Amino acid sequence: MITRFCGTSDDSASGLKLLRSICKQILYTASGTRLRMYHDSCALVPDTYAGVVQYFHGLVAQHAVVVLIDSLDQLSNENMERSEIDFLKDMAPHPDTRIVVSCLPDEKDAAGKIVYWYGCDTRLRALGVPRVEVTPLSCPEGGGDSSSGSSSSEVECMVDGLLGDRGRSLTAEQRAYVLGMCISCPSALYVKLAVRVASQWRSSDAAEACCLQATVPALIHQILDSISLQYGRALTGAVFAFVTLSKEGVTDQE
């Protein structure tokens, strides 16, 4: 299983670096503990776009892998990797290989003005790639009152499931409030962040203490403010800065 989030690091920002990174992981997995074999194989990974595309095709034909590439629209377009997605064209992968990609839809408003357009969605449609449309989560009717006996919505199932994973529960009033806030932003990210905040509430907390911001950015700031309050702003700021500046990650000792 190989996962890449395009645009989140230098090695996932361009098609060339993305494919070289994926190829190296396939080689690392295939070599097992034979590091010498891995290093020798990595030396063979081409450093040109056309070369690494061909090399990548050969690897996924030879090895059974599941490759998940998130946010194709965040790639650069130096070699038309974003607009043409040519590194996935004319592949003949291993029968058990699966390649899954995601991107935001290309959108225009009612007047035909471009709202969001990077071409990935349009190109995938033109190529007839099988697709799954990710729509907003279904919300509970009546602000989360399930007493009518109707089936639970996706938001309710996700909230209750995430709370269960944390070994927590909410009072009826707190649960209704969380579900009501999720209706304003029915995305998986908002629900997960909201549950993170709500799982810290106590059953005895006053209603004003049970507060959720209405958007994902505001909710992230709420969580960071809570961490700063718990550990001190100086320590929290220093830790976040250190982690952010550590390009190669942070070791256990560090």
Side-chain angles (χ1 to χ4, degrees):
M1 176 77 74
I2 297 174
T3 306
R4 292 294 184 274
F5 300 94
C6 297
T8 57
S9 69
D10 183 59
D11 281 344
S12 66
S14 69
L16 173 60
K17 291 185 177 181
L18 175 70
L19 292 183
R20 281 179 57 84
S21 173
I22 293 174
C23 288
K24 288 180 179 180
Q25 185 170 347
I26 295 175
L27 293 171
Y28 181 80
T29 303
S31 64
T33 58
R34 293 164 292 182
L35 292 180
R36 177 62 182 274
M37 174 182 170
Y38 164 65
H39 289 301
D40 289 345
S41 298
C42 282
L44 301 177
V45 179
D47 55 7
T48 64
Y49 182 71
V52 79
V53 168
Q54 184 178 3
Y55 193 80
F56 170 66
H57 285 202
L59 286 179
V60 296
Q62 181 181 359
H63 301 282
V65 293
V66 177
V67 182
L68 306 177
I69 304 177
D70 180 64
S71 299
L72 283 177
D73 42 302
Q74 296 302 308
L75 282 174
S76 66
N77 206 34
E78 300 165 15
N79 296 284
M80 311 297 284
E81 59 265 57
R82 185 182 67 224
S83 59
E84 293 296 326
I85 321 179
D86 57 350
F87 61 91
L88 296 179
K89 289 170 60 177
D90 302 323
M91 297 186 70
H94 187 284
D96 295 324
T97 285
R98 297 292 182 271
I99 299 177
V100 182
V101 299
S102 76
C103 65
L104 288 176
D106 294 326
E107 294 182 341
K108 294 182 179 180
D109 61 19
K113 184 179 180 181
I114 292 176
V115 176
Y116 186 93
W117 194 282
Y118 280 102
C120 302
D121 177 50
T122 300
R123 187 60 179 158
L124 290 170
R125 285 182 183 275
L127 293 174
V129 175
R131 61 196 291 122
V132 175
E133 299 283 351
V134 181
T135 59
L137 299 173
S138 64
C139 297
E141 298 179 2
D145 183 6
S146 303
S147 58
S148 61
S150 60
S151 59
S152 297
S153 67
E154 291 171 329
V155 166
E156 289 176 281
C157 291
M158 190 170 178
V159 167
D160 293 338
L162 289 171
L163 285 169
D165 290 343
R166 289 172 171 266
R168 302 301 303 269
S169 62
L170 300 174
T171 67
E173 293 77 12
Q174 290 171 341
R175 181 178 181 275
Y177 172 68
V178 171
L179 294 176
M181 293 301 296
C182 290
I183 290 175
S184 65
C185 190
S187 69
L189 178 56
Y190 183 87
V191 173
K192 188 168 185 178
L193 293 173
V195 169
R196 175 193 169 104
V197 174
S199 64
Q200 304 300 314
W201 297 343
R202 295 167 294 188
S203 59
S204 59
D205 283 341
E208 55 269 19
C210 301
C211 173
L212 292 172
Q213 297 298 318
T215 65
V216 167
L219 201 50
I220 291 173
H221 281 293
Q222 180 179 349
I223 291 171
L224 294 179
D225 286 341
S226 174
I227 294 174
S228 296
L229 185 64
Q230 182 177 0
Y231 295 104
R233 189 167 296 276
L235 174 61
T236 303
V239 170
F240 282 143
F242 179 67
V243 172
T244 302
L245 293 171
S246 301
K247 281 184 60 179
E248 303 300 326
V250 183
T251 66
D252 289 342
Q253 185 176 0
E254 290 170 333

